[in-house]
Amino acid sequence: MEIEGFRGQLITTDHADYDTARALWNGAVDRYPRLIARCCGTADAAAAVRFARDHDLEIAVRGGGHNVAGTAECDDGIVIDLSAMRAVLIDPADRSAWVQGGALWGDVDHETQAHGLATTGGIVSHTGVAGVTLGGGIGYLMRRYGLAVDNLLAAEVVTVEGNIVRASAEEHPDLFWAVRGGGGNFGVVTSFRFALHPVGPTVVAGPVFWAADDTTEVLRFYRDFVTEAPDELGTVVRLGTVPPLPAIPEELHWRPALAVATCYAGAVEAGERAVRALRRHGTPLVDLIAPTPYLEQQCAIDLTVQHGWHYYWKSTNLADLSDDTIAVVADHAYAARSPRSCVVMFHLGGAVARVPHNAAAYAGRDVAHNIVIEGVWLPDESGEYAAAETAWAQGFLQALEPHRAGSVYVNFLDSDETDRIREAYGDHHYRRLAEVKAKYDPDNAFHHNKNIRPG
Ligand SMILES: Cc1cc2nc3c(=O)[nH]c(=O)nc-3n(C[C@H](O)[C@H](O)[C@H](O)COP(=O)(O)OP(=O)(O)OC[C@H]3O[C@@H](n4cnc5c(N)ncnc54)[C@H](O)[C@@H]3O)c2cc1C
């Protein structure tokens, strides 16, 4: 098989690398594309889009391959695979970076930190820049510097006609608005230009763990603590069992516990002051907060979410952490059967909330927290496990129903939640996205994603 003008690798079903190339982070997803077009550059992506249109093929676009819903692969179509396009070019003079569409956050952090710079990215280094950014992009730096989309200065997009356009505040501003939260609905984004900020190289960071029995009381303290916290302090709560990471004392491994993970985007002394009350609260099982290389912090939990394990997620935004919400969380968080299943809560606000609602397609700026319920089991664990973890996640979300903010982060939606896509944007943003979709992809060729129908 040949694609005119394509210089990358074409992987067909009989290729020795086919099964590795189609595998996604979520091992529960098992799709069989007809062709994987692994691009070396923008021209390849454009050639692949034209080929797909000429041959009436289903199109999936792959960045880091991490979306839990598995939308980066499709059955019997073409996968436009950017995983070989991971270059990151820094311009230290104007503190910006061009990042190719298949880069992972570890690539960005590695290159930006060489200049003492960083931008808001995901909290796991092997997650893709493209998918994270196109949905919004939350992470430790967001309260100080905004979401990934708030730092996006421009994007290079291959349109459904195979044309290459630049989207920015000046060029195709409608498209630029839409790609900042609207996902991969509008074309293949082959590179992103981000604003960078001075961060690290050493930051105050790390988790404090408490026993599961302390959950209600620690979360009530945490709610008040983060309300007063400076924007520099990013925190993420994790509830489940203590992961067996080398940095954590072995006697604690697999014990039910909650952790508050921290990262302070500022001077070390100020960071130590900002986390003091948290570290002194109650009786922690272990306190691992310390001055830490930012790069190390950004891959601290990589091993807890490994490629090829099976995952099923449920998520919602939370307006606040009321006592009733905390009661539901404490009741359900430790009821999963698998010791790998867990719950993760991000604290938003700060710079995220100060950007006007209409500035970009991302719509969840008014919420203080979001929660992801992550059912996790190993590939060789039985179907019973899958059913149990799935039911646990669904039951947990149902119990949260009265406490939900009425919105959800689009990047955390799983494959059985296409009816919640409008919820991620709200009516106003969804309508506007549908208009942009009608202009840039009227036939909905890019629909293997959190799909917005042309309107
Ligand atoms: C372990 C883990 C940690 C996470 N942590 C965070 C976090 O800290 N913050 C956060 O905000 N999110 C986080 N997420 C969620 C994450 O935002 C989504 O899973 C996201 O879709 C992953 O991006 P990707 O490029 O790896 O995904 P992929 O599966 O490759 O892509 C997902 C979809 O995005 C679109 N897409 C991907 N690349 C392109 C492109 N170049 N051009 C056009 N469309 C494209 C396609 O529609 C594709 O189906 C995490 C996910 C995982 C699995």
Side-chain angles (χ1 to χ4, degrees), residues 61 63-67 71 82 122-123 128 130-132 138 184 187 189 409 411 449:
V61 182
H66 266 53
N67 197 276
T71 47
L82 305 191
I123 64 168
V132 169
I138 63 177
V189 181
Y409 178 33
N411 274 350
N449 46 37

Side-chain angles (χ1 to χ4, degrees), residues 40-395:
C40 319
T42 302
D44 280 355
V49 170
R50 282 195 294 268
F51 178 84
R53 300 291 281 158
D54 290 349
H55 293 80
D56 207 15
L57 286 174
E58 291 287 310
I59 303 174
V61 182
R62 180 181 182 131
H66 266 53
N67 197 276
V68 70
T71 47
E73 296 283 329
C74 60
D75 281 321
D76 200 32
I78 183 170
V79 175
I80 300 179
D81 176 354
L82 305 191
S83 63
M85 293 171 52
R86 291 173 54 178
V88 178
L89 288 176
I90 312 293
D91 184 342
D94 78 349
R95 287 190 180 159
S96 71
W98 273 108
V99 178
Q100 276 191 310
L104 307 181
W105 283 108
D107 301 324
V108 174
D109 291 335
H110 181 73
E111 294 298 335
T112 54
Q113 278 290 279
H115 299 272
L117 300 168
T119 196
T120 304
I123 64 168
V124 169
S125 76
H126 51 73
T127 314
V129 170
V132 169
T133 302
L134 294 170
I138 63 177
Y140 283 114
L141 304 185
M142 67 183 156
R143 288 171 40 78
R144 175 72 180 89
Y145 296 118
L147 301 163
V149 287
D150 300 331
N151 289 287
L152 190 65
L153 302 171
E156 181 184 70
V157 185
V158 173
T159 66
V160 72
E161 295 88 14
N163 297 327
I164 301 165
V165 302
R166 172 80 61 92
S168 68
E170 291 79 33
E171 296 168 87
H172 301 281
D174 52 351
L175 181 60
F176 188 53
W177 180 87
V179 297
R180 286 177 295 149
N185 273 283
F186 310 96
V188 183
V189 181
T190 43
S191 52
F192 298 84
R193 182 167 170 244
F194 290 105
L196 305 176
H197 314 278
V199 173
T202 300
V203 292
V204 168
V208 183
F209 285 87
W210 292 267
D213 287 346
D214 297 341
T215 298
T216 301
E217 182 269 316
V218 170
L219 285 182
R220 286 180 181 180
F221 165 81
Y222 171 78
R223 165 188 63 203
D224 301 337
F225 171 75
V226 293
T227 306
E228 300 296 318
D231 289 352
E232 285 81 358
L233 186 62
T235 58
V236 176
V237 181
R238 183 185 186 279
L239 304 95
T241 61
V242 176
L245 297 173
I248 302 175
E250 219 174 306
E251 64 272 17
L252 296 179
H253 291 179
W254 301 118
R255 184 170 162 176
L258 81 158
V260 176
T262 63
C263 178
Y264 186 87
V268 167
E269 305 74 46
E272 278 169 343
R273 275 197 302 280
V275 295
R276 195 170 294 150
L278 183 74
R279 306 177 79 173
R280 287 183 180 163
H281 182 74
T283 315
L285 294 174
V286 63
D287 169 6
L288 298 171
I289 296 181
T292 307
Y294 177 72
L295 271 182
E296 209 173 281
Q297 157 67 11
Q298 281 294 89
C299 46
I301 59 161
D302 282 7
L303 288 173
T304 66
V305 278
Q306 296 189 20
H307 290 87
W309 291 358
H310 290 202
Y311 299 88
Y312 179 80
W313 287 8
K314 281 284 164 272
S315 178
T316 183
N317 288 338
L318 298 169
D320 55 27
L321 278 183
S322 66
D323 285 354
D324 289 345
T325 310
I326 289 174
V328 174
V329 172
D331 259 5
H332 287 75
Y334 307 101
R337 181 167 161 184
S338 164
R340 290 177 181 79
S341 291
C342 65
V343 177
V344 175
M345 282 201 302
F346 288 80
H347 176 226
L348 293 100
V352 178
R354 287 194 290 273
V355 173
H357 178 66
N358 286 336
Y362 177 87
R365 296 191 182 273
D366 53 341
V367 300
H369 303 270
N370 77 29
I371 184 167
V372 200
I373 303 154
E374 305 186 4
V376 187
W377 60 99
L378 299 177
D380 59 357
E381 287 175 335
S382 69
E384 255 177 67
Y385 245 106
E389 300 317 282
T390 303
W392 166 71
Q394 289 169 341

Side-chain angles (χ1 to χ4, degrees), residues 6 8-11 20-21 36-40 44 79 81-84:
F6 188 88
Q9 191 186 13
L10 292 179
I11 302 170
T20 323
I36 299 170
R38 190 165 281 165
C39 305
C40 319
D44 280 355
V79 175
D81 176 354
L82 305 191
S83 63

